Amino acid sequence: MAADAAGADRLSPAALPLFRELGDLKRIHSATAPGSIAERLFVSGWAALVRGDAPAQVMAQVVGAALVSSRLGDLDLAALQALGAGDGAVDVLARAFDAMTADLDPSLRARLRRALTQGRPTPGATPAFVGKLARQPRAGVTCPGAPRIVLQPAENHAEHCLMVAVYGVLASPWHGADPVRVFLAGMAHHLHNADMPDSGYSGEMLLGDLLEAVIERAREASLDELAAANPALAETIREALAPIAGDQTPEARAFHVADVLDRVLEIEQHMRAARLSMGIVLDEYGLVHDGPVKAFHDRILADAGLA
């Protein structure tokens, strides 16, 4: 996933398939726990940060886990070991990681790959804003003067923040940005929506001159919660958020690559699903795949008029 040859800081369309696949972590669930994998990585990532784990370690664990989970779902290190995979568990994770990351920046790739042995961050206590963001839905598509376009299932703010954090790390080498600072900005950039329901662009325009003050008050409430749990982390988060109001720093540019791509790719996902055909499912994806009874399965589908 290299930058465009025309410029080291330009996005290449070749990166989009990886970003699309990662974005589906918002829609992958299992019986292990409530919520999507993206939501749970957001929550456990904040738990690790709040208890004092090094942000660089949390970044590598979360992003590495996201890359692996895109292929393995909730078959993470802990699940594989519990199922008896033993020392082979890390090998399984490494195969999934390698399948996803051939085009990543080599230095970043090596950094994330080393974190696979640590597994996902361990869940723990979090400030109230973390749970609120997991319950707070995104607005959908809004435009002043037009009705809202509601797309279901709606993503929540935890899922969006997690994906912006992950995408931002992957985009960091294109801009020479510090991936840890970009990760923290992504995880924290919607702190205000813990207490501020999302009315989208339409609501922002209707708030008018009140918008900035309302956002600031809501963000400060979350930062105060964070400061009560970990004062040093709260200051680090403030520093990570400071440049993203513009695009002047490498970290801000990497962040905005991630933010705008997740906003648009989330809507594109709904459009792609609407265009899905039986030919794609059966012919390209092999829904009825090779096996000892495939011929009989194919006959059943032909008899039913489904193939």
Side-chain angles (χ1 to χ4, degrees), residues 90-180:
V90 173
D91 294 336
V92 174
L93 300 182
R95 285 196 291 273
F97 180 89
D98 292 346
M100 292 285 291
T101 60
D103 294 329
L104 283 190
D105 172 80
S107 176
L108 177 62
R109 184 179 186 274
R111 185 174 181 179
L112 298 177
R113 201 176 193 275
R114 287 194 296 270
L116 297 181
T117 59
Q118 299 172 320
R120 297 179 187 176
T122 304
T126 58
F129 70 79
V130 175
K132 290 179 182 179
L133 289 172
R135 295 189 298 273
Q136 191 77 278
R138 299 269 287 162
V141 183
T142 69
C143 179
R148 186 186 307 218
I149 300 173
V150 179
L151 299 170
Q152 295 293 333
E155 64 175 328
N156 62 50
H157 278 81
E159 292 167 330
H160 169 65
C161 287
L162 186 281
M163 294 320 309
V164 172
V166 171
Y167 290 172
V169 168
L170 301 184
S172 293
W174 308 339
H175 297 277
D178 177 355
V180 179

Side-chain angles (χ1 to χ4, degrees), residues 6 42 70 129 133 142 148 207 209 215 219 238 254 285 306:
F42 176 81
S70 292
F129 70 79
L133 289 172
T142 69
R148 186 186 307 218
L207 280 164
D209 293 341
I215 289 176
R219 182 185 296 117
R238 287 183 186 277
Y285 275 75
L306 292 171

Side-chain angles (χ1 to χ4, degrees), residues 41 44-45 57-67 121 162 166 183 187:
L41 282 175
S44 63
Q57 174 187 325
V58 179
M59 179 278 291
Q61 284 183 270
V62 168
V63 179
L67 288 160
L162 186 281
V166 171
F183 174 80
M187 291 284 280

